[in-house]
Amino acid sequence: MDLALLRTFVTVHRAGSFTRAAALLGLSQPAVTSQIRALERQLGRPLFLRQARGVTPTSIGDELAHKAAPHLDALVEITEAGLDEDSSVRTLHLAGPPEFSAERALPALTALTRDDGHSIALRATFGTAEEVLEGLAAGHHDLAITTARPRGALLTATPLCDEEHVLVAAPRWAARVGSGTLHRDAAPSLEKFPVVEVHESLPLVTRYWAAVFDARPVASGTVVVPDLRAVLACVIAGAGLGVLPRYLCAAALERGEIVALLDPPVPPLRTYFLVVRTGTLALPHIARAHEWLLRAAVDWS
């Protein structure tokens, strides 16, 4: 069986679309369609069901993908490592949210870059949960950290840690909000208070209000920046109220640069997952990084 056809097949299976697979492979869509048809003729069975949007694998297609993908990934790993290079060094491609990756995952994994005899070289990519999972499924990453649990059998997710969210503000804003304004039994209006968020939809504030007050906030973003570290800096500078993960703002809370406006008995939590393509934990460098992060996460919660 032609390995090029298998590679195209696995890419289509992961991408869920001939069009996306063609873009990932640098081929035209007709070329991808032709290769899949050739493979189907060889096997005598259909591998995909064509849908209005993309394709869905048949049971034979799923079975072939689960058997072939790990071996193809291993071949790619050998190729990327290079036959003339030191075989003890493998490159791990990690993807995840920028703040969590920078503050927790990458510092934890740096120890593996100094492990004599089994060193790992790190390459990091930042992105949204959707971008990270799509890149992992397409084979661009080895290991992904995300707050979205993937569906289906192609990707395998393991809970990594929980992240507690805190409603915070600079001391001068905390004084203006007043200790009597926020109560767990009544959702406060934020209309008169500026809000700092990562997106216009106020995802963190909305999730906090739903968990603590069982309501939607009435507010709009005063400052919107797509990085939680920038949100923290703006809150410290007095730009307004914000919802931040405790690990990110714990030092600022301890220094008194910001104040927690509420201490609910059950704080809002968000779970991070460690995700790999099913079968790739058979590759030693991915397995070691996976295990290392799970051990490190014991001290993060």
Side-chain angles (χ1 to χ4, degrees), residues 137-243:
H140 299 316
H141 319 308
D142 301 315
L143 192 60
I145 298 171
T146 175
T147 54
R149 182 191 287 271
R151 297 179 179 179
L154 181 61
L155 301 177
T156 300
T158 304
L160 180 62
C161 66
D162 288 329
E163 171 185 270
E164 178 188 345
H165 284 181
V166 189
L167 178 63
V168 296
R172 70 180 184 88
W173 270 113
R176 292 183 64 177
V177 170
S179 59
T181 303
L182 298 182
H183 298 281
R184 292 189 301 271
D185 57 353
S189 172
L190 291 179
E191 288 180 297
K192 58 184 178 180
F193 301 118
V195 174
V196 187
E197 257 282 13
V198 294
H199 191 271
E200 296 287 355
S201 63
L202 308 184
L204 298 176
V205 170
T206 298
R207 188 181 298 114
Y208 188 96
W209 250 241
V212 175
F213 303 113
D214 193 23
R216 289 186 61 83
V218 180
S220 60
T222 300
V223 177
V224 176
V225 285
D227 190 302
L228 288 174
R229 292 163 295 188
V231 171
L232 174 60
C234 291
V235 171
I236 291 174
L241 284 60
V243 173

